[in-house]
Every structure is written in C-alpha cells, then in structure tokens.
Amino acid sequence: MARPRVSPGRRGCALWRVVPRGADNVRMKITVIRSGGFAGLTRTWVVRVEEQDDPDSWIGLVDELPWGDRHRQPPQPDRFVYRIRVSRRQIVLPEQQLEGPWRELVDRVRNASTAPRTPAVPPTPTAPRAASA
C-alpha cells in the first residue's frame, strides 16, 4: 500500500491533512536549472507532474531523493551546477555530485520538458558581404 502524502492545510493554520496518492491528487512542479560550464550558460527545464503520463512514478522517484544526505562539495571549474527545486524543497548540487536518483530526476525532467528555456540573447548583427568580382 502506498504511503499517503502529507500536505499543509489552510494558510497560516497549523493543521495538516492527509492527501492520498494518485494521479488525481498530484500537484507538483519540478524545476532544474543548470548553470556554469565552460560557456557559463544557464538552462532551465520545468515539468508539472500532474501533466505527465505516469505521475505515480515521478512521485516515487521524488520520494527516493536523499535530500539530507549531501555533504557539500565546492563546484569545480568549468563544470555545471544544478539547482533542483521540487515544490518547496530545493538543493544545489555541483555536477560531480549529480548521481543516483538525482541524475535520474535531472535526466527525466530534461527529457519530459517541452522546451528548455534559455536567457534571451539578441542576435549579433553581421556585416553584408562584398560581392566578389
């Protein structure tokens, strides 16, 4: 039997209510932001779990994430840093620590996201070419 999720009640209220698992009750947004690397570009992928074909497998993967098991390592030069946000939880991992369920989550979000969002960069104007004689 699946464990029920606990969800906060009304805002400002100390009461909690139990939300049964299942596709009908899932409302979860997963955001992966990758920054750094050689070029220093930032890419963002977003997935809404309730819009996926298999929300229960997403919830199972999120439940496996070791949120508190990370001893921080500084990022290495020219490597990526990942900011992973699942609902209200967030963690920042350097690329060398992205392994196991973290790697699986990032790969799934990247594959399921419709289009990666990148900062808008205006096109570089080019000079017209001279006609050769």
Side-chain angles (χ1 to χ4, degrees):
M1 181 173 182
R3 295 184 328 237
R5 291 184 308 127
V6 177
S7 168
R10 295 182 186 152
R11 286 188 186 186
C13 183
L15 299 176
W16 291 81
R17 61 188 172 89
V18 175
V19 179
R21 285 209 176 173
D24 298 336
N25 297 317
V26 176
R27 288 186 50 104
M28 183 185 303
K29 179 179 172 183
I30 302 174
T31 305
V32 174
I33 302 171
R34 184 187 72 191
S35 60
F38 182 71
L41 299 176
T42 299
R43 308 247 346 226
T44 302
W45 296 273
V46 178
V47 166
R48 294 200 176 273
V49 172
E50 66 271 12
E51 296 173 0
Q52 301 304 308
D53 294 334
D54 54 350
D56 288 334
S57 70
W58 284 88
I59 292 171
L61 178 57
V62 168
D63 285 345
E64 292 176 13
L65 296 174
W67 291 97
D69 294 350
R70 289 283 156 200
H71 44 281
R72 303 287 181 202
Q73 292 180 7
Q76 296 174 348
D78 296 332
R79 295 197 69 181
F80 293 117
V81 174
Y82 291 85
R83 179 179 308 272
I84 301 167
R85 188 177 308 138
V86 179
S87 296
R88 295 181 182 172
R89 299 183 94 174
Q90 178 175 289
I91 192 167
V92 177
L93 297 172
E95 184 176 21
Q96 69 269 17
Q97 284 190 282
L98 195 68
E99 53 193 28
W102 294 112
R103 169 57 71 186
E104 185 179 347
L105 179 70
V106 167
D107 290 345
R108 281 188 75 180
V109 170
R110 287 177 63 181
N111 291 334
S113 182
T114 53
R117 294 184 290 179
T118 56
V121 177
T124 306
T126 57
R129 294 185 175 205
S132 48

PDB file of all heavy atoms in Angstrom, residues 29-51:
ATOM      1  N   LYS A  29       5.477  20.651  -9.107  1.00  0.00           N
ATOM      2  CA  LYS A  29       6.281  21.275 -10.165  1.00  0.00           C
ATOM      3  C   LYS A  29       7.750  20.984  -9.856  1.00  0.00           C
ATOM      4  O   LYS A  29       8.208  21.206  -8.741  1.00  0.00           O
ATOM      5  CB  LYS A  29       6.034  22.778 -10.171  1.00  0.00           C
ATOM      6  CG  LYS A  29       6.825  23.543 -11.196  1.00  0.00           C
ATOM      7  CD  LYS A  29       6.448  25.015 -11.107  1.00  0.00           C
ATOM      8  CE  LYS A  29       7.334  25.875 -11.957  1.00  0.00           C
ATOM      9  NZ  LYS A  29       7.001  27.292 -11.806  1.00  0.00           N
ATOM     10  N   ILE A  30       8.464  20.486 -10.850  1.00  0.00           N
ATOM     11  CA  ILE A  30       9.889  20.196 -10.704  1.00  0.00           C
ATOM     12  C   ILE A  30      10.649  21.106 -11.665  1.00  0.00           C
ATOM     13  O   ILE A  30      10.358  21.140 -12.853  1.00  0.00           O
ATOM     14  CB  ILE A  30      10.197  18.720 -11.018  1.00  0.00           C
ATOM     15  CG1 ILE A  30       9.383  17.800 -10.109  1.00  0.00           C
ATOM     16  CG2 ILE A  30      11.691  18.452 -10.868  1.00  0.00           C
ATOM     17  CD1 ILE A  30       9.508  16.326 -10.453  1.00  0.00           C
ATOM     18  N   THR A  31      11.610  21.841 -11.120  1.00  0.00           N
ATOM     19  CA  THR A  31      12.413  22.755 -11.917  1.00  0.00           C
ATOM     20  C   THR A  31      13.880  22.368 -11.776  1.00  0.00           C
ATOM     21  O   THR A  31      14.358  22.157 -10.666  1.00  0.00           O
ATOM     22  CB  THR A  31      12.229  24.212 -11.441  1.00  0.00           C
ATOM     23  OG1 THR A  31      10.841  24.531 -11.466  1.00  0.00           O
ATOM     24  CG2 THR A  31      12.993  25.184 -12.318  1.00  0.00           C
ATOM     25  N   VAL A  32      14.569  22.274 -12.902  1.00  0.00           N
ATOM     26  CA  VAL A  32      16.007  22.018 -12.912  1.00  0.00           C
ATOM     27  C   VAL A  32      16.660  23.189 -13.638  1.00  0.00           C
ATOM     28  O   VAL A  32      16.304  23.493 -14.778  1.00  0.00           O
ATOM     29  CB  VAL A  32      16.351  20.690 -13.619  1.00  0.00           C
ATOM     30  CG1 VAL A  32      17.861  20.526 -13.747  1.00  0.00           C
ATOM     31  CG2 VAL A  32      15.747  19.519 -12.879  1.00  0.00           C
ATOM     32  N   ILE A  33      17.591  23.843 -12.952  1.00  0.00           N
ATOM     33  CA  ILE A  33      18.334  24.958 -13.542  1.00  0.00           C
ATOM     34  C   ILE A  33      19.806  24.554 -13.574  1.00  0.00           C
ATOM     35  O   ILE A  33      20.382  24.252 -12.536  1.00  0.00           O
ATOM     36  CB  ILE A  33      18.159  26.253 -12.733  1.00  0.00           C
ATOM     37  CG1 ILE A  33      16.683  26.617 -12.651  1.00  0.00           C
ATOM     38  CG2 ILE A  33      18.980  27.387 -13.352  1.00  0.00           C
ATOM     39  CD1 ILE A  33      16.383  27.749 -11.689  1.00  0.00           C
ATOM     40  N   ARG A  34      20.368  24.522 -14.763  1.00  0.00           N
ATOM     41  CA  ARG A  34      21.775  24.181 -14.922  1.00  0.00           C
ATOM     42  C   ARG A  34      22.532  25.441 -15.308  1.00  0.00           C
ATOM     43  O   ARG A  34      22.180  26.125 -16.272  1.00  0.00           O
ATOM     44  CB  ARG A  34      21.952  23.121 -16.007  1.00  0.00           C
ATOM     45  CG  ARG A  34      23.392  22.653 -16.147  1.00  0.00           C
ATOM     46  CD  ARG A  34      23.557  21.744 -17.321  1.00  0.00           C
ATOM     47  NE  ARG A  34      23.444  22.543 -18.555  1.00  0.00           N
ATOM     48  CZ  ARG A  34      23.339  22.015 -19.761  1.00  0.00           C
ATOM     49  NH1 ARG A  34      23.293  20.729 -19.939  1.00  0.00           N
ATOM     50  NH2 ARG A  34      23.248  22.803 -20.816  1.00  0.00           N
ATOM     51  N   SER A  35      23.559  25.751 -14.547  1.00  0.00           N
ATOM     52  CA  SER A  35      24.363  26.934 -14.851  1.00  0.00           C
ATOM     53  C   SER A  35      25.833  26.563 -14.817  1.00  0.00           C
ATOM     54  O   SER A  35      26.217  25.490 -14.357  1.00  0.00           O
ATOM     55  CB  SER A  35      24.062  28.051 -13.846  1.00  0.00           C
ATOM     56  OG  SER A  35      24.375  27.626 -12.536  1.00  0.00           O
ATOM     57  N   GLY A  36      26.647  27.492 -15.302  1.00  0.00           N
ATOM     58  CA  GLY A  36      28.090  27.265 -15.295  1.00  0.00           C
ATOM     59  C   GLY A  36      28.563  26.613 -16.569  1.00  0.00           C
ATOM     60  O   GLY A  36      28.047  26.877 -17.648  1.00  0.00           O
ATOM     61  N   GLY A  37      29.544  25.750 -16.419  1.00  0.00           N
ATOM     62  CA  GLY A  37      30.142  25.128 -17.591  1.00  0.00           C
ATOM     63  C   GLY A  37      31.149  26.065 -18.226  1.00  0.00           C
ATOM     64  O   GLY A  37      31.387  27.183 -17.766  1.00  0.00           O
ATOM     65  N   PHE A  38      31.742  25.619 -19.293  1.00  0.00           N
ATOM     66  CA  PHE A  38      32.786  26.389 -19.959  1.00  0.00           C
ATOM     67  C   PHE A  38      32.266  27.739 -20.456  1.00  0.00           C
ATOM     68  O   PHE A  38      32.919  28.755 -20.311  1.00  0.00           O
ATOM     69  CB  PHE A  38      33.363  25.568 -21.115  1.00  0.00           C
ATOM     70  CG  PHE A  38      34.477  26.253 -21.834  1.00  0.00           C
ATOM     71  CD1 PHE A  38      35.709  26.415 -21.230  1.00  0.00           C
ATOM     72  CD2 PHE A  38      34.295  26.756 -23.108  1.00  0.00           C
ATOM     73  CE1 PHE A  38      36.738  27.062 -21.881  1.00  0.00           C
ATOM     74  CE2 PHE A  38      35.319  27.395 -23.770  1.00  0.00           C
ATOM     75  CZ  PHE A  38      36.545  27.549 -23.163  1.00  0.00           C
ATOM     76  N   ALA A  39      31.053  27.743 -21.018  1.00  0.00           N
ATOM     77  CA  ALA A  39      30.494  28.983 -21.582  1.00  0.00           C
ATOM     78  C   ALA A  39      29.693  29.790 -20.564  1.00  0.00           C
ATOM     79  O   ALA A  39      29.326  30.922 -20.822  1.00  0.00           O
ATOM     80  CB  ALA A  39      29.613  28.654 -22.780  1.00  0.00           C
ATOM     81  N   GLY A  40      29.389  29.228 -19.410  1.00  0.00           N
ATOM     82  CA  GLY A  40      28.651  29.953 -18.379  1.00  0.00           C
ATOM     83  C   GLY A  40      27.184  30.175 -18.707  1.00  0.00           C
ATOM     84  O   GLY A  40      26.567  31.094 -18.192  1.00  0.00           O
ATOM     85  N   LEU A  41      26.608  29.330 -19.550  1.00  0.00           N
ATOM     86  CA  LEU A  41      25.196  29.486 -19.919  1.00  0.00           C
ATOM     87  C   LEU A  41      24.278  28.881 -18.867  1.00  0.00           C
ATOM     88  O   LEU A  41      24.662  27.953 -18.162  1.00  0.00           O
ATOM     89  CB  LEU A  41      24.928  28.805 -21.260  1.00  0.00           C
ATOM     90  CG  LEU A  41      25.701  29.351 -22.457  1.00  0.00           C
ATOM     91  CD1 LEU A  41      25.402  28.520 -23.687  1.00  0.00           C
ATOM     92  CD2 LEU A  41      25.355  30.802 -22.691  1.00  0.00           C
ATOM     93  N   THR A  42      23.067  29.386 -18.789  1.00  0.00           N
ATOM     94  CA  THR A  42      22.055  28.861 -17.885  1.00  0.00           C
ATOM     95  C   THR A  42      20.911  28.291 -18.694  1.00  0.00           C
ATOM     96  O   THR A  42      20.423  28.938 -19.623  1.00  0.00           O
ATOM     97  CB  THR A  42      21.521  29.972 -16.951  1.00  0.00           C
ATOM     98  OG1 THR A  42      22.609  30.462 -16.171  1.00  0.00           O
ATOM     99  CG2 THR A  42      20.436  29.451 -16.032  1.00  0.00           C
ATOM    100  N   ARG A  43      20.487  27.065 -18.342  1.00  0.00           N
ATOM    101  CA  ARG A  43      19.328  26.429 -18.987  1.00  0.00           C
ATOM    102  C   ARG A  43      18.359  26.019 -17.898  1.00  0.00           C
ATOM    103  O   ARG A  43      18.768  25.599 -16.818  1.00  0.00           O
ATOM    104  CB  ARG A  43      19.747  25.195 -19.785  1.00  0.00           C
ATOM    105  CG  ARG A  43      20.858  25.464 -20.752  1.00  0.00           C
ATOM    106  CD  ARG A  43      20.632  25.390 -22.201  1.00  0.00           C
ATOM    107  NE  ARG A  43      19.497  24.796 -22.771  1.00  0.00           N
ATOM    108  CZ  ARG A  43      19.540  23.958 -23.789  1.00  0.00           C
ATOM    109  NH1 ARG A  43      20.693  23.560 -24.268  1.00  0.00           N
ATOM    110  NH2 ARG A  43      18.452  23.508 -24.330  1.00  0.00           N
ATOM    111  N   THR A  44      17.084  26.106 -18.208  1.00  0.00           N
ATOM    112  CA  THR A  44      16.039  25.764 -17.239  1.00  0.00           C
ATOM    113  C   THR A  44      15.057  24.808 -17.882  1.00  0.00           C
ATOM    114  O   THR A  44      14.632  25.010 -19.021  1.00  0.00           O
ATOM    115  CB  THR A  44      15.284  27.038 -16.790  1.00  0.00           C
ATOM    116  OG1 THR A  44      16.229  27.945 -16.219  1.00  0.00           O
ATOM    117  CG2 THR A  44      14.215  26.706 -15.767  1.00  0.00           C
ATOM    118  N   TRP A  45      14.715  23.742 -17.140  1.00  0.00           N
ATOM    119  CA  TRP A  45      13.702  22.786 -17.567  1.00  0.00           C
ATOM    120  C   TRP A  45      12.659  22.695 -16.471  1.00  0.00           C
ATOM    121  O   TRP A  45      12.989  22.650 -15.286  1.00  0.00           O
ATOM    122  CB  TRP A  45      14.313  21.406 -17.798  1.00  0.00           C
ATOM    123  CG  TRP A  45      15.319  21.372 -18.901  1.00  0.00           C
ATOM    124  CD1 TRP A  45      15.081  21.174 -20.218  1.00  0.00           C
ATOM    125  CD2 TRP A  45      16.732  21.508 -18.781  1.00  0.00           C
ATOM    126  NE1 TRP A  45      16.257  21.182 -20.923  1.00  0.00           N
ATOM    127  CE2 TRP A  45      17.286  21.380 -20.062  1.00  0.00           C
ATOM    128  CE3 TRP A  45      17.593  21.732 -17.688  1.00  0.00           C
ATOM    129  CZ2 TRP A  45      18.657  21.481 -20.296  1.00  0.00           C
ATOM    130  CZ3 TRP A  45      18.960  21.829 -17.924  1.00  0.00           C
ATOM    131  CH2 TRP A  45      19.473  21.702 -19.211  1.00  0.00           C
ATOM    132  N   VAL A  46      11.383  22.655 -16.854  1.00  0.00           N
ATOM    133  CA  VAL A  46      10.286  22.599 -15.891  1.00  0.00           C
ATOM    134  C   VAL A  46       9.318  21.491 -16.290  1.00  0.00           C
ATOM    135  O   VAL A  46       8.984  21.347 -17.466  1.00  0.00           O
ATOM    136  CB  VAL A  46       9.517  23.948 -15.831  1.00  0.00           C
ATOM    137  CG1 VAL A  46       8.356  23.875 -14.866  1.00  0.00           C
ATOM    138  CG2 VAL A  46      10.455  25.080 -15.461  1.00  0.00           C
ATOM    139  N   VAL A  47       8.881  20.720 -15.291  1.00  0.00           N
ATOM    140  CA  VAL A  47       7.898  19.669 -15.513  1.00  0.00           C
ATOM    141  C   VAL A  47       6.824  19.799 -14.447  1.00  0.00           C
ATOM    142  O   VAL A  47       7.121  19.984 -13.271  1.00  0.00           O
ATOM    143  CB  VAL A  47       8.558  18.268 -15.426  1.00  0.00           C
ATOM    144  CG1 VAL A  47       7.514  17.188 -15.316  1.00  0.00           C
ATOM    145  CG2 VAL A  47       9.433  18.026 -16.620  1.00  0.00           C
ATOM    146  N   ARG A  48       5.583  19.717 -14.875  1.00  0.00           N
ATOM    147  CA  ARG A  48       4.455  19.623 -13.934  1.00  0.00           C
ATOM    148  C   ARG A  48       4.049  18.162 -13.909  1.00  0.00           C
ATOM    149  O   ARG A  48       3.635  17.605 -14.920  1.00  0.00           O
ATOM    150  CB  ARG A  48       3.312  20.506 -14.376  1.00  0.00           C
ATOM    151  CG  ARG A  48       3.675  21.976 -14.315  1.00  0.00           C
ATOM    152  CD  ARG A  48       2.427  22.833 -14.289  1.00  0.00           C
ATOM    153  NE  ARG A  48       2.771  24.220 -14.129  1.00  0.00           N
ATOM    154  CZ  ARG A  48       2.957  24.813 -12.955  1.00  0.00           C
ATOM    155  NH1 ARG A  48       2.820  24.115 -11.859  1.00  0.00           N
ATOM    156  NH2 ARG A  48       3.256  26.079 -12.887  1.00  0.00           N
ATOM    157  N   VAL A  49       4.190  17.562 -12.737  1.00  0.00           N
ATOM    158  CA  VAL A  49       3.980  16.124 -12.598  1.00  0.00           C
ATOM    159  C   VAL A  49       2.557  15.727 -12.980  1.00  0.00           C
ATOM    160  O   VAL A  49       2.346  14.702 -13.632  1.00  0.00           O
ATOM    161  CB  VAL A  49       4.324  15.670 -11.162  1.00  0.00           C
ATOM    162  CG1 VAL A  49       3.925  14.233 -10.925  1.00  0.00           C
ATOM    163  CG2 VAL A  49       5.813  15.857 -10.912  1.00  0.00           C
ATOM    164  N   GLU A  50       1.575  16.533 -12.636  1.00  0.00           N
ATOM    165  CA  GLU A  50       0.184  16.176 -12.932  1.00  0.00           C
ATOM    166  C   GLU A  50      -0.095  16.123 -14.434  1.00  0.00           C
ATOM    167  O   GLU A  50      -1.075  15.523 -14.862  1.00  0.00           O
ATOM    168  CB  GLU A  50      -0.786  17.141 -12.231  1.00  0.00           C
ATOM    169  CG  GLU A  50      -0.744  18.566 -12.723  1.00  0.00           C
ATOM    170  CD  GLU A  50       0.264  19.443 -11.988  1.00  0.00           C
ATOM    171  OE1 GLU A  50       1.105  18.925 -11.243  1.00  0.00           O
ATOM    172  OE2 GLU A  50       0.195  20.668 -12.171  1.00  0.00           O
ATOM    173  N   GLU A  51       0.756  16.706 -15.251  1.00  0.00           N
ATOM    174  CA  GLU A  51       0.572  16.687 -16.701  1.00  0.00           C
ATOM    175  C   GLU A  51       1.283  15.511 -17.373  1.00  0.00           C
ATOM    176  O   GLU A  51       1.157  15.334 -18.590  1.00  0.00           O
ATOM    177  CB  GLU A  51       1.078  18.004 -17.296  1.00  0.00           C
ATOM    178  CG  GLU A  51       0.280  19.214 -16.836  1.00  0.00           C
ATOM    179  CD  GLU A  51       0.897  20.534 -17.289  1.00  0.00           C
ATOM    180  OE1 GLU A  51       1.948  20.503 -17.968  1.00  0.00           O
ATOM    181  OE2 GLU A  51       0.334  21.575 -16.955  1.00  0.00           O
TER     182      GLU A  51
END
